[in-house]
C-alpha cells in the first residue's frame, strides 16, 4: 500500500472499505497499476482505487475524500489518450484516490429512445447496443466507441471525432457534484428530471430509473445533426471546435474531470442504415481543401463524415495497426476492449520479469497478427499505391447520386487532379477500419522501435477553418529529430491528429514546445478534442473556468499555482 503523504489520509481507506467492501477498495501496487498506469503516457502512485457499485456509494466516497483532503480522479475507461485519466510523476501536494465508475453503467432511455440518461460508467458501445432496436444511434459511432470509452468521458472532454453534422459531444443536462470554496459538497441536478431534494435519495432513484413521465422535461426537436453543421460551414479565421472554446463549455460538458459527474442526459439520432462511402485520392493537398470547401458551400445536408489519412498512414495501419482493425472486423468492439485490457495486464506482468520489459505483449501481438491473412480490397490498394493523400467520405444514401455528380464535376475540371470510387460494403468496412487502425499505428511503431526512439510526440490540433495550407510541412531541423510521423484526422472540421516518434537522444518536451509554437503561430488551437491532461497545460482562460467548477482543486491535479499549497491544472476524466 502507498504510504500516505498527509496524516489526514490515515483512516480514509477504512472509511472507504466500510462503504463498498474490501473487495472494491484496491491499495496494493499490483491491484492499482491497471488504473494508475496510462496506456500511452505516465504512471504514478495512488492511495487507493475505489470501485463503487452505486451512485450513492460514489457520493459517500467523495465525502470521505473531502474530509481527508484527498485529490480525486474520477476515471471511466482509462483509454490513455492524453494521460489525463490517471496520476503522473508530478510533485503532488496531497494523496490521490481514483474512483473508477465502470461498475455503474446503467442506461435509461427517454421519449421513445430520443434521449438517454447515461450513468457515470456507461460506455458508448453499450449505448449503441441499447439504441439499435429503436433505430437510433449515439453521438459517436466509431473511434472512441471502439476502445470502450464512456459517454460521460466523451462529454467531459468535448470529444467530436468524425461527426461533421453533430460536432462535439455536448449537453447542458447533467447531475454532478462539486466542492465549493468552503469545502462543502454540492449535488447539482440539472438533468431536467425531478428526483427530490435529498442527495442520497436523488442518486438512488436515478440509478433505479424511478421517476414518472411528468417529472421529465420534453426532448429537443429530432434531427440527424445539431447547429454545429452550420458552424462548420463558415470558412472563418478560427478553428471549428477546440477545448478552450467557451461555446462548448457548460458544467459537465468540457469539465475535464473538475466535477464528479454522476450522469448525463444526451440526445440520440436517427440511425442511418443506408449510407454511401466514397474513397478519394489525390497527390495535391490543395485539391482536398478545394473539395472540402465545395461540399461546405453546396446545398443539402453535409456528409456524415470525411476522414483523411496519408498513404503513409495507410501503410503504417496495415503493418502496425493490424491487430486493431482485424479484431474490430472479425470480433467487434467488446472483444477489442478485452484484448487491450489483457495486453496491458500482460505488459505489466512481463515488465516485472528480468530481461523482459514493458512491451513484450505488444511484440507478441505484432508477431501473431502479422501471420493472420487479411486481404485488402484491390481498389483500396490501387489508390494507396497511386495517390499520396486519401479522403474517405460517408454520405446519406439519399445523397449518393448528388455526391457522385459533384465528385465527377470536381475532378473533371482541369485545375484538379485525382480520382474516386464508390465503395462496396467490403471496401467501406475495410477503409473505415484501416483509418481507425491508423490511430494505434504510431504507438505500436514506437513500442517496436524503443531502442531507436526516445518518446512519442503527439498532437490533437484544430486548424483555422480558412487555412488552405492545412497539411503541415515541418522545418528540416525538426523533421530530422523524428523517426516517424503520421497524419490523419477529421478533415471537414480541420481537426487533425499528428503522431510523431522522436529519435533517441531528442528531448521530447522541448521538441513538443517548439512544434506547438509553430501550430499556434498559424492560428491553430491545441488541443482540439482530447482536453487538458498531462500533454496539454491549461491556458489561463481555462484555468479560470475550472476554478469556478472546483475552487479548492479537489478534483484531479496538474501544473501551475493558485496558492502556495495547491497545484492547478487539469486531469481529463478517463474516457
Amino acid at each position: 500500500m502507498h504510504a500516505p503523504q498527509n496524516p489526514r489520509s490515515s483512516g480514509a481507506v477504512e472509511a472507504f472499505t466500510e462503504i463498498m467492501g474490501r473487495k472494491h477498495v484496491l491499495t496494493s501496487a499490483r491491484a492499482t497499476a491497471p488504473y494508475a498506469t496510462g496506456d500511452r503516457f505516465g504512471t504514478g502512485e495512488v492511495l487507493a482505487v475505489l470501485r463503487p457499485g452505486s451512485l450513492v456509494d460514489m457520493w459517500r466516497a467523495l465525502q470521505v475524500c473531502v474530509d481527508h483532503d484527498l485529490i480525486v480522479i474520477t476515471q471511466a475507461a482509462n483509454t490513455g489518450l492524453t494521460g489525463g485519466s490517471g496520476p503522473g510523476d508530478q510533485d503532488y501536494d496531497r494523496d490521490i484516490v481514483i474512483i473508477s465508475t465502470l461498475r455503474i453503467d446503467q442506461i435509461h432511455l427517454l421519449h421513445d429512445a430520443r434521449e438517454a440518461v447515461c450513468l457515470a460508467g456507461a460506455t458508448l458501445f453499450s449505448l449503441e447496443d441499447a439504441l439499435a432496436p429503436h433505430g437510433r444511434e449515439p453521438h459517436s459511432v466509431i473511434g472512441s466507441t471502439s476502445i470502450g470509452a464512456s459517454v460521460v468521458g466523451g462529454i467531459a472532454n468535448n470529444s467530436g471525432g468524425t461527426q461533421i453534422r453533430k460536432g462535439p459531444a455536448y449537453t447542458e443536462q447533467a447531475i454532478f457534484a462539486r466542492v465549493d470554496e468552503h469545502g462543502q459538497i454540492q449535488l447539482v441536478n440539472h438533468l431536467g428530471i425531478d428526483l427530490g431534494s435529498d442527495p442520497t435519495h436523488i442518486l438512488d432513484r436515478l440509478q433505479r430509473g424511478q421517476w414518472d413521465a411528468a417529472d421529465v422535461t420534453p426532448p429537443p426537436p429530432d434531427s440527424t445533426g445539431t447547429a454545429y453543421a452550420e458552424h462548420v460551414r463558415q470558412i472563418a479565421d478560427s478553428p471549428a471546435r477546440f477545448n478552450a472554446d467557451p461555446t462548448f463549455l457548460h458544467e459537465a460538458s468540457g469539465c475535464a474531470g473538475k466535477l464528479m459527474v454522476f450522469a448525463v442526459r444526451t440526445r440520440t439520432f436517427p440511425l442511418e442504415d443506408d449510407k454511401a462511402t466514397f474513397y478519394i485520392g489525390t497527390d495535391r493537398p490543395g485539391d482536398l481543401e478545394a473539395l472540402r470547401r465545395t461540399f461546405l458551400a453546396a446545398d443539402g445536408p453535409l456528409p456524415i463524415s470525411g476522414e483523411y489519412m496519408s498513404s503513409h498512414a495507410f501503410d503504417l495501419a496495415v503493418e502496425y495497426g493490424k491487430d486493431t482493425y482485424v479484431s474490430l472486423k472479425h470480433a467487434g468492439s467488446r472483444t477489442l476492449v478485452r484484448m487491450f485490457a489483457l495486453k496491458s495486464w500482460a505488459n505489466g506482468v512481463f515488465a516485472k520479469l528480468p530481461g523482459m520489459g514493458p512491451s513484450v505483449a505488444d511484440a507478441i501481438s505484432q508477431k501473431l497478427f502479422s501471420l493472420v491473412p487479411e486481404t485488402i480490397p484491390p481498389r483500396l490498394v490501387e489508390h494507396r499505391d497511386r495517390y499520396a493523400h486519401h479522403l474517405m467520405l460517408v454520405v446519406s444514401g439519399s445523397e449518393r447520386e448528388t455526391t457522385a455528380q459533384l465528385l465527377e464535376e470536381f475532378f473533371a475540371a482541369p485545375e484538379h487532379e485525382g480520382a474516386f470510387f464508390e465503395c462496396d460494403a467490403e471496401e467501406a468496412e475495410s477503409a473505415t477500419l484501416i483509418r481507425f487502425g491508423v490511430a494505434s499505428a504510431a504507438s505500436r511503431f514506437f513500442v517496436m522501435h524503443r531502442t531507436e526512439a526516445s518518446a512519442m510526440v503527439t498532437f490533437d490540433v484544430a486548424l483555422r477553418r480558412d487555412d488552405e495550407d492545412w497539411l503541415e510541412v515541418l522545418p528540416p531541423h525538426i523533421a530530422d529529430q523524428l523517426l516517424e510521423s503520421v497524419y490523419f484526422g477529421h478533415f471537414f472540421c480541420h481537426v487533425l491528429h499528428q503522431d510523431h516518434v522522436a529519435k533517441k537522444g531528442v528531448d521530447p518536451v522541448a521538441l513538443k514546445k517548439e512544434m506547438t509554437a509553430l501550430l499556434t503561430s498559424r492560428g491553430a488551437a491545441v488541443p482540439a478534442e482530447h482536453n487538458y491532461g498531462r500533454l496539454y497545460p491549461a491556458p489561463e482562460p481555462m484555468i479560470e473556468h475550472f476554478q469556478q467548477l472546483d475552487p479548492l482543486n479537489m478534483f484531479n491535479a496538474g501544473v501551475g499555482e493558485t496558492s502556495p499549497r495547491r497545484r492547478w491544472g487539469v486531469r481529463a476524466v478517463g474516457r
Side-chain angles (χ1 to χ4, degrees), residues 477-493:
H477 77 279
I478 290 181
D480 289 346
Q481 299 180 65
L482 300 174
L483 191 64
E484 185 57 88
S485 294
V486 189
Y487 290 81
F488 58 101
H490 319 306
F491 187 62
F492 276 64
C493 302

Side-chain angles (χ1 to χ4, degrees), residues 449-461:
H449 294 80
R450 283 186 183 273
T451 57
E452 309 160 64
S454 62
M456 288 191 65
V457 181
T458 66
F459 291 91
D460 164 46
V461 57

Side-chain angles (χ1 to χ4, degrees), residues 74-352:
T74 312
Q75 182 189 93
N78 192 21
T79 59
L81 289 177
T82 65
S85 52
D89 56 2
Q90 290 92 336
D91 182 21
Y92 297 116
D93 62 350
R94 290 164 288 159
D95 291 306
I96 299 170
V97 169
I98 293 175
I99 299 182
S100 171
T101 64
L102 291 179
R103 296 177 63 218
I104 309 173
D105 59 358
Q106 289 86 350
I107 295 171
H108 305 296
L109 302 182
L110 305 174
H111 302 121
D112 297 322
R114 285 174 57 184
E115 293 183 289
V117 174
C118 301
L119 270 56
T123 61
L124 280 164
F125 59 62
S126 294
L127 179 57
E128 191 172 22
D129 286 348
L131 293 174
H134 302 273
R136 311 286 297 184
E137 66 180 11
H139 172 274
S140 298
V141 292
I142 194 167
S144 294
T145 310
S146 303
I147 54 176
S150 69
V151 178
V152 168
I155 286 171
N157 289 298
N158 285 132
S159 66
T162 64
Q163 309 302 303
I164 298 175
R165 299 176 183 175
K166 300 172 186 175
Y170 179 83
T171 184
E172 296 184 4
Q173 295 180 298
I175 182 168
F176 56 88
R178 66 187 296 271
V179 180
D180 66 20
E181 59 272 20
H182 304 295
Q184 301 299 310
I185 304 177
Q186 299 175 345
L187 182 68
V188 180
N189 179 11
H190 287 167
L191 274 177
I193 303 175
D194 186 357
L195 295 166
S197 57
D198 176 71
T200 56
H201 184 62
I202 289 171
L203 294 172
D204 181 59
R205 287 185 63 190
L206 172 60
Q207 186 152 8
R208 290 187 286 113
Q210 186 184 55
W211 56 74
D212 296 326
D215 297 330
V216 185
T217 56
D222 198 19
S223 70
T224 59
T226 69
Y228 177 79
E230 294 309 310
H231 172 73
V232 80
R233 284 187 191 271
Q234 300 169 23
I235 307 299
D237 63 351
S238 61
R241 53 180 171 89
F242 59 101
N243 282 81
D245 186 350
T247 305
F248 303 111
L249 299 176
H250 183 85
E251 297 176 343
S253 292
C255 73
K258 302 303 289 184
L259 298 170
M260 177 172 280
V261 182
F262 295 100
V264 292
R265 176 176 168 183
T266 66
R267 59 176 298 185
T268 69
F269 301 86
L271 179 64
E272 294 197 58
D273 289 324
D274 182 22
K275 300 175 185 176
T277 299
F278 292 87
Y279 202 86
I280 300 158
T282 181
D283 284 332
R284 303 195 309 192
D287 281 337
L288 286 187
E289 179 60 24
L291 182 61
R292 168 182 173 267
R293 296 187 183 211
T294 299
F295 272 98
L296 292 179
D299 294 331
L302 289 175
I304 295 169
S305 66
E307 292 295 292
Y308 166 78
M309 62 180 169
S310 66
S311 60
H312 179 61
F314 188 118
D315 287 338
L316 278 179
V318 170
E319 183 174 0
Y320 293 100
K322 190 174 183 180
D323 53 352
T324 297
Y325 77 77
V326 168
S327 299
L328 276 174
K329 184 174 183 178
H330 299 290
S333 298
R334 293 179 185 275
T335 299
L336 181 64
V337 172
R338 295 189 187 102
M339 187 181 78
F340 280 169
L342 176 62
K343 180 167 63 67
S344 296
W345 172 84
N347 275 334
V349 172
F350 285 127
K352 295 180 174 66

